[in-house]
Amino acid sequence: MSDKGQRYRAPALEKGIDILELIATQPAPISLQAIVKALGRSTGELFRMIQVLQFRGFIEQSADGGGFQLTGRLLALAMNQPSVKGLIEISLPRMRLLAAETGQSCHLVMHSQGQIVVIARVESSAEMGFSVRVGHRRSLPETVSGTLLYAFQSERTRERWEELFDSQMPADELAGFRQRAARARDVAWAKARSTFVAGVTDISAPVLRGHEAAAALTIPFVQFVKTKRTLEDCLALLITAAREISGGLLLSDSKI
């Protein structure tokens, strides 16, 4: 983030935030030496900061001792916000019904610093299924749910989110992402083969708060030999569930 317009400085706090943001972007635990190199600071500057973050439960060493990773502490803090807590409380009963109707798992996704983060999930009601863990993060442009979240935002919000995307993202990839988002907004749903797991097709619908997406409700559809519902059936049920959750949010907000 640019320092432009920053009125006050708190160097120690900024170093701690830099560490957390760096670790959050890593696909695997990162060593102290790698953190020092990536942030361009000395070991002495960061060692005690890392020790404090570990003591307070925000980061932990991996099981093999090869590096540091985030714990669920930050996610827990975020999910304790009244708006997020209310969203999950309204969504989960309907998500359980959706899982029972479709025989597929489903999960709820929000935006976080240019990424999607899973804040709730319900397992498949079938004997076997595929699900995504709570706390899972991926770059927003790489996902169907991220495309949908982006699609249902104001132009100003979309511009702000784009600043958080990988600076190395080619211009043609960004243009393609914008086109997919425009199509998703037109039909109010999105579908694509998973780029993460072979054999899975992700389908997603927006959970709206007003005219903007507060979250995206997603099914990672798996085609079994004896699938309870077709992909088209599941998509229709998913859209209905997302609309009902949106209605629940509207009702809840009107009581505040």
Side-chain angles (χ1 to χ4, degrees):
M1 184 178 290
S2 171
D3 292 337
K4 186 178 179 181
Q6 185 171 347
R7 186 174 178 184
Y8 300 112
R9 301 298 300 271
L13 177 60
E14 289 174 353
K15 279 187 279 190
I17 293 172
D18 287 344
I19 292 168
L20 292 173
E21 288 182 339
L22 174 64
I23 294 175
T25 63
Q26 302 305 302
I30 181 171
S31 68
L32 172 59
Q33 292 74 20
I35 294 172
V36 167
K37 183 178 179 180
L39 296 182
R41 297 182 181 273
S42 69
T43 302
E45 277 185 285
L46 300 184
F47 179 76
R48 280 196 289 179
M49 193 68 61
I50 287 173
Q51 294 299 305
V52 171
L53 289 171
Q54 188 175 7
F55 177 76
R56 295 296 297 268
F58 289 97
I59 64 175
E60 63 185 3
Q61 276 201 309
S62 59
D64 61 5
F68 294 94
Q69 59 194 14
L70 292 182
T71 66
R73 182 84 187 274
L74 284 172
L75 180 62
L77 288 175
M79 289 173 65
N80 272 331
Q81 296 178 89
S83 60
V84 178
K85 215 171 177 181
L87 171 61
I88 294 172
E89 288 173 354
I90 290 168
S91 301
L92 276 175
R94 191 61 185 83
M95 290 171 67
R96 293 188 188 102
L97 177 59
L98 179 64
E101 290 173 330
T102 62
Q104 304 279 339
S105 72
C106 59
H107 55 269
L108 195 66
V109 165
M110 291 184 71
H111 166 263
S112 173
Q113 292 295 303
Q115 298 180 314
I116 59 102
V117 59
V118 176
I119 62 168
R121 75 169 182 184
V122 173
E123 299 281 356
S124 164
S125 60
E127 291 183 9
M128 293 187 297
F130 172 80
S131 64
V132 182
R133 65 174 175 81
V134 172
H136 172 73
R137 304 174 72 97
R138 283 191 74 198
S139 174
L140 189 142
E142 295 178 359
T143 65
V144 167
S145 50
T147 302
L148 211 48
L149 285 172
Y150 173 92
F152 284 87
Q153 302 299 328
S154 67
E155 184 177 352
R156 184 174 180 180
T157 298
R158 290 197 297 269
E159 290 174 356
R160 181 164 51 83
W161 286 10
E162 286 183 10
E163 293 176 1
L164 299 169
F165 297 167
D166 186 350
S167 60
Q168 303 303 313
M169 186 178 186
D172 59 335
E173 286 188 17
L174 179 58
F177 170 67
R178 288 171 175 164
Q179 290 174 358
R180 293 194 300 275
R183 290 195 296 269
R185 188 177 180 91
D186 286 342
V187 297
W189 56 269
K191 175 184 75 171
R193 288 184 180 275
S194 173
T195 58
F196 193 59
V197 180
V200 170
T201 300
D202 293 319
I203 53 177
S204 190
V207 173
L208 300 175
R209 181 173 259 134
H211 297 293
E212 297 187 356
L217 181 61
T218 302
I219 290 177
F221 179 86
V222 182
Q223 181 69 55
F224 296 109
V225 174
K226 293 183 179 180
T227 304
K228 185 175 181 179
R229 301 270 192 174
T230 66
L231 189 147
E232 290 70 24
D233 289 340
C234 290
L235 177 59
L237 291 166
L238 174 75
I239 291 169
T240 298
R243 286 175 179 166
E244 290 179 4
I245 294 171
S246 300
L249 280 179
L250 179 63
L251 184 62
S252 176
D253 290 345
S254 68
K255 294 178 180 178
I256 297 175

